[in-house]
Amino acid sequence: MSDVSFQGYATSLVPDAPGYNKNNSYAMAIASSLAYATMDVILDTVAQQWKAIPHYIGRGETQLFCAEFPELVVVAFRGTEP
Protein backbone atom coordinates (compact mmCIF):
# COMPACT_ATOMS: atom_id res chain seq x y z
CA MET A 1 0.00 0.00 0.00
CA SER A 2 1.08 3.56 -0.69
CA ASP A 3 0.20 6.44 1.60
CA VAL A 4 -1.07 9.76 0.30
CA SER A 5 -1.70 12.92 2.28
CA PHE A 6 -2.22 16.62 1.65
CA GLN A 7 -3.09 19.46 4.03
CA GLY A 8 -3.59 17.16 6.99
CA TYR A 9 -5.71 14.54 5.24
CA ALA A 10 -4.25 11.08 4.70
CA THR A 11 -5.18 7.62 3.46
CA SER A 12 -3.58 4.52 1.95
CA LEU A 13 -4.08 3.43 -1.64
CA VAL A 14 -5.19 -0.16 -2.23
CA PRO A 15 -4.01 -0.95 -5.79
CA ASP A 16 -5.45 -4.45 -5.92
CA ALA A 17 -8.96 -3.55 -4.72
CA PRO A 18 -11.45 -5.62 -6.74
CA GLY A 19 -13.95 -2.77 -7.01
CA TYR A 20 -14.97 0.37 -5.13
CA ASN A 21 -12.67 1.12 -2.23
CA LYS A 22 -13.25 4.05 0.11
CA ASN A 23 -9.51 4.56 0.66
CA ASN A 24 -8.89 4.80 -3.10
CA SER A 25 -11.82 7.20 -3.53
CA TYR A 26 -10.50 9.38 -0.72
CA ALA A 27 -7.00 9.27 -2.20
CA MET A 28 -8.36 10.48 -5.55
CA ALA A 29 -10.08 13.36 -3.77
CA ILE A 30 -6.76 14.26 -2.13
CA ALA A 31 -5.02 14.10 -5.54
CA SER A 32 -7.74 16.30 -7.07
CA SER A 33 -7.20 18.91 -4.37
CA LEU A 34 -3.43 18.73 -4.77
CA ALA A 35 -3.78 19.35 -8.54
CA TYR A 36 -4.64 23.00 -7.76
CA ALA A 37 -1.52 23.60 -5.68
CA THR A 38 1.60 25.18 -7.13
CA MET A 39 3.97 23.01 -9.13
CA ASP A 40 6.56 23.16 -6.32
CA VAL A 41 4.02 22.00 -3.71
CA ILE A 42 2.84 19.18 -5.99
CA LEU A 43 6.36 17.94 -6.72
CA ASP A 44 7.42 18.17 -3.07
CA THR A 45 4.26 16.48 -1.76
CA VAL A 46 4.46 13.60 -4.24
CA ALA A 47 8.19 13.03 -3.73
CA GLN A 48 8.58 13.68 0.00
CA GLN A 49 5.22 12.71 1.53
CA TRP A 50 3.86 10.17 -0.94
CA LYS A 51 7.31 8.65 -1.66
CA ALA A 52 6.44 8.45 -5.36
CA ILE A 53 8.10 9.74 -8.51
CA PRO A 54 6.42 13.05 -9.42
CA HIS A 55 5.65 14.25 -12.93
CA TYR A 56 4.09 17.63 -13.69
CA ILE A 57 2.84 18.38 -17.20
CA GLY A 58 1.63 21.76 -18.37
CA ARG A 59 0.79 22.29 -22.05
CA GLY A 60 -1.27 25.29 -23.03
CA GLU A 61 -4.33 25.33 -20.81
CA THR A 62 -3.92 21.72 -19.65
CA GLN A 63 -2.09 20.95 -16.43
CA LEU A 64 -1.79 17.61 -14.67
CA PHE A 65 0.44 15.69 -12.37
CA CYS A 66 1.29 12.02 -12.13
CA ALA A 67 2.48 10.19 -9.05
CA GLU A 68 4.36 7.07 -10.08
CA PHE A 69 4.25 4.38 -7.39
CA PRO A 70 5.79 0.92 -7.88
CA GLU A 71 2.33 -0.65 -8.10
CA LEU A 72 0.24 2.09 -9.76
CA VAL A 73 0.15 5.58 -11.25
CA VAL A 74 -2.16 8.34 -10.01
CA VAL A 75 -3.06 11.05 -12.54
CA ALA A 76 -4.88 14.25 -11.54
CA PHE A 77 -5.91 17.03 -13.93
CA ARG A 78 -6.45 20.68 -13.08
CA GLY A 79 -9.85 21.77 -14.42
CA THR A 80 -9.28 25.51 -14.57
CA GLU A 81 -6.45 27.96 -14.10
CA PRO A 82 -6.39 29.01 -10.40
Side-chain angles (χ1 to χ4, degrees):
M1 279 196 229
S2 299
D3 295 328
V4 297
S5 64
F6 182 59
Q7 295 183 341
Y9 299 96
T11 191
S12 294
L13 289 163
V14 184
D16 58 351
Y20 172 79
N21 180 281
K22 68 179 181 178
N23 282 15
N24 289 345
S25 296
Y26 191 54
M28 296 307 101
I30 291 171
S32 295
S33 179
L34 181 59
Y36 288 90
T38 65
M39 181 178 62
D40 291 339
V41 169
I42 292 169
L43 296 176
D44 183 63
T45 299
V46 171
Q48 301 302 318
Q49 294 180 25
W50 296 13
K51 306 295 187 227
I53 299 169
H55 304 276
Y56 181 86
I57 301 167
R59 302 275 193 280
E61 295 182 15
T62 303
Q63 298 94 33
L64 65 102
F65 80 88
C66 300
E68 183 182 339
F69 294 94
E71 66 275 13
L72 65 104
V73 174
V74 172
V75 178
F77 287 84
R78 183 181 295 178
T80 57
E81 191 67 35

